Amino acid sequence: MPLYTANLASKLPHRFGFTRTNASSLPNYAGLKPFFLFFPSTHVHNSSQNRICSSVPSSSSIMEGNKHVGPLISGPKSLSQELKVAVGAVQMACFLCQRVQSNLLTSNGQIQAKDDNSPVTVADWSVQAIISWILSKSFGSKNVSIVAEEDVQTLSKPGADRLLKAVVETVNECLCEAYRFGLEGPESTLCTSEVLEAISRCNSSGGPTGRFWTLDPVDGTLGFIRGDQYAVALALIEDGEVVLGVLGCPNYPMRKEWLCYSPRYHSIISKLSTATSESWDKGCVIYAQKGSGEAWMQPLIHANKKLVWPNSAISIHVSSIDDPALATFCEPVEKANSSHSFTAGLAHSVGLRNQPLRVYSMVKYAAIARGDAEIFMKFARAGYKEKIWDHAAGVVIIQEAGGVVTDARGCLLNFSNGMYLEGLDRGVIACAGANLHDKIIRAVDASWNSSCL
Ligand SMILES: Nc1ncnc2c1ncn2[C@@H]1O[C@H](COP(=O)(O)OS(=O)(=O)O)[C@@H](OP(=O)(O)O)[C@H]1O
Ligand SMILES: [Mg+2]
Ligand SMILES: [Mg+2]
Ligand SMILES: [Mg+2]
């Protein structure tokens, strides 16, 4: 029986597990380039694949004084400052989520249901508050527009003061560690109204022109509550195009060998990391800038460790498998969120042989980008409108890692119409390559008419 991740999972009714079904497609961690914020030079070798980059200056990184601030981003224009702040903010948000998740079981009342019956926790609100605050601090509140999932409606209701107090405490506990993530925190703790303001200001309407951020503070809240997979998702959209994306995946280990398969639940599992205390197996942060032709992955920073892990990045790439008989596809865990029967029929008609991996959150996008799976399919029921924050970061990361993401008709997703992916036809299909993508699109067309979706 595979080991389970953190103690939490072993106490919870829900289990999760994943790995590729054939070891031959280990992702090729081709390049090693420093990202930013170097610490005392440390050569850290991980046992199997790669040397973690040391603080040796690399010709392909941008320097500010003697600090590396990021790989040389080609593309239309460098967004290295935006990327640096976004990665640091998501790293810090992951640290916050792990803290909240660990005492989620003990402190009741930290899980609420919103009007649409979807869950929301102290972590969702707190992450939205800290990322909103950091972006405003870094770029000036007048220059920052954010389209994010959460609002203050529940927090402002009578009787919500204990919940609100928990959010304010969580936010301040985290912001006082901001320096460990290369960020500047507040001179003094934020008061309740400042925390509420940081959350509620994330109400931009988005649109086809100008620049705005889109944030899903906890994507896969259901997975988060169950000690399973979840993601912190932040993306920057300019004139309707996603120009950078960051995915924090606290329960998705850097190293594949820390993943194992839980046949019963067909999904991701990360083994109990007893073998090493390295943060390699505690989770990862994945990011990319549009047009750079590269996607990057770095380990989670553990602020409670005396030496904050050097921010080193490994370039990742989609899998080279394009034979359906060898490919693996991911889909949402909840069949209310995507038709499992439709995808099963599709998989059969395309010739997919491996069991589906059912995974919460945009960790599915991360799995494709780093080559742990080849296809992600989601077919929500008719009438459901996909939100931009549930896809933006994952889309640009897969694209820059060499993959393709479209709707079920083969059209690119449209992020220029406010909070919804307007015009999305039938479902979302992400593939490691064009061949597989083409086969899936054809199969959707052929089977759609005979399905009753
Ligand atoms: N009915 C329905 N249909 C389709 N999608 C829905 C639906 N309800 C919710 N959502 C959104 O799905 C997000 C969770 O995505 P997941 O990939 O984690 O789905 S699943 O939980 O694995 O089924 C989840 O994101 P979070 O709320 O951030 O967890 C929702 O935004
Ligand atoms: Mg939600
Ligand atoms: Mg979401
Ligand atoms: Mg969410």
Side-chain angles (χ1 to χ4, degrees):
M1 193 61 179
L3 291 170
Y4 291 102
T5 186
N7 315 340
L8 194 63
S10 52
K11 291 189 193 113
L12 289 167
H14 202 81
R15 295 282 185 272
F16 48 94
F18 152 91
T19 190
R20 282 204 46 65
T21 41
N22 41 6
S24 62
S25 63
L26 286 173
N28 57 335
Y29 292 147
L32 272 179
K33 283 187 194 150
F35 189 60
F36 57 85
L37 291 182
F38 264 68
F39 294 86
S41 87
T42 359
H43 257 279
V44 179
H45 286 259
N46 94 335
S47 56
S48 54
Q49 292 115 347
N50 335 283
R51 183 173 63 79
I52 313 283
C53 56
S54 69
S55 53
V56 175
S58 144
S59 57
S60 61
S61 61
I62 305 172
M63 304 287 286
E64 262 169 17
N66 63 348
K67 261 203 278 189
H68 298 268
V69 289
L72 196 57
I73 299 263
S74 50
K77 70 176 182 183
S78 163
L79 292 169
S80 61
Q81 185 58 16
E82 286 83 354
L83 202 50
K84 178 171 173 288
V85 171
V87 171
V90 169
Q91 280 274 8
M92 185 166 72
C94 290
F95 167 67
L96 181 153
C97 287
Q98 290 180 313
R99 265 188 169 170
V100 172
Q101 190 174 50
S102 58
N103 50 33
L104 204 56
L105 277 182
T106 49
S107 46
N108 58 18
Q110 296 211 352
I111 302 170
Q112 303 290 313
K114 291 190 287 190
D115 293 352
D116 63 358
N117 271 332
S118 63
V120 57
T121 73
V122 163
D124 296 76
W125 284 304
S126 303
V127 165
Q128 185 157 320
I130 63 165
I131 290 185
S132 165
W133 192 88
I134 288 290
L135 290 177
S136 295
K137 174 82 179 173
S138 305
F139 302 108
S141 50
K142 290 191 184 57
N143 307 319
V144 172
S145 295
I146 305 173
V147 178
E149 179 180 1
E150 307 308 343
D151 60 34
V152 294
Q153 194 189 351
T154 308
L155 291 175
S156 311
K157 283 180 181 165
D161 33 19
R162 269 188 67 229
L163 186 64
L164 180 54
K165 182 166 175 289
V167 170
V168 174
E169 281 169 4
T170 304
V171 165
N172 282 310
E173 274 167 21
C174 188
L175 284 177
C176 73
E177 308 264 2
Y179 69 97
R180 293 176 182 275
F181 301 92
L183 301 166
E184 201 184 329
E187 271 92 43
S188 57
T189 52
L190 302 189
C191 64
T192 302
S193 60
E194 288 172 309
V195 172
L196 287 172
E197 200 282 329
I199 297 169
S200 58
R201 69 184 312 277
C202 302
N203 60 356
S204 164
S205 46
T209 56
R211 166 188 276 210
F212 62 89
W213 298 85
T214 187
L215 168 65
D216 192 336
V218 177
D219 182 49
T221 302
L222 218 44
F224 174 73
I225 291 166
R226 292 176 171 169
D228 201 321
Q229 294 301 329
Y230 66 96
V232 175
L234 179 61
L236 180 61
I237 294 175
E238 261 182 0
D239 299 332
E241 296 274 319
V242 187
V243 293
L244 72 83
V246 185
L247 275 180
C249 311
N251 280 343
Y252 193 23
M254 286 279 285
R255 290 192 303 190
K256 177 184 287 297
E257 52 271 35
W258 287 101
L259 299 173
C260 67
Y261 182 67
S262 154
R264 197 162 158 214
Y265 297 99
H266 320 281
S267 62
I268 285 187
I269 192 167
S270 40
K271 284 178 190 168
L272 193 62
S273 51
T274 45
T276 160
S277 59
E278 276 183 66
S279 68
W280 276 93
D281 43 52
K282 295 273 194 326
C284 61
V285 173
I286 296 177
Y287 47 90
Q289 180 191 338
K290 185 174 181 61
S292 65
E294 292 175 310
W296 298 88
M297 176 170 72
Q298 62 178 219
L300 282 191
I301 296 175
H302 280 259
N304 46 2
K305 286 239 167 82
K306 53 185 184 310
L307 168 66
V308 173
W309 189 272
N311 283 342
S312 50
I314 288 175
S315 73
I316 56 173
H317 201 267
V318 293
S319 158
S320 54
I321 289 176
D322 68 356
D323 174 356
L326 297 176
T328 300
F329 81 92
C330 305
E331 63 179 349
V333 171
E334 302 297 310
K335 39 181 175 303
N337 290 4
S338 181
S339 169
H340 288 174
S341 54
F342 183 70
T343 45
L346 212 57
H348 180 75
S349 64
V350 169
L352 294 171
R353 295 284 168 268
N354 292 325
Q355 296 213 42
L357 295 175
R358 292 194 182 130
V359 185
Y360 290 106
S361 80
M362 273 192 264
V363 165
K364 293 183 279 293
Y365 279 100
I368 308 290
R370 55 181 247 191
D372 291 347
E374 284 74 38
I375 301 164
F376 159 46
M377 296 191 272
K378 176 177 187 182
F379 297 93
R381 70 181 182 292
Y384 179 78
K385 296 186 79 171
E386 293 286 355
K387 315 321 187 291
I388 59 172
W389 55 71
D390 276 327
H391 300 280
V395 165
V396 67
I397 286 168
I398 283 188
Q399 288 170 339
E400 297 307 316
V404 58
V405 188
T406 68
D407 66 9
R409 183 181 298 280
C411 300
L412 293 175
L413 306 190
N414 182 348
F415 291 93
S416 65
N417 287 305
M419 66 183 272
Y420 296 113
L421 287 176
E422 298 294 354
L424 183 129
D425 184 47
R426 291 177 279 185
V428 176
I429 294 173
C431 288
N435 289 347
L436 275 178
H437 181 258
D438 188 45
K439 289 187 175 98
I440 301 272
I441 295 288
R442 291 172 192 274
V444 170
D445 244 12
S447 53
W448 191 266
N449 307 325
S450 56
S451 77
C452 50
L453 271 170

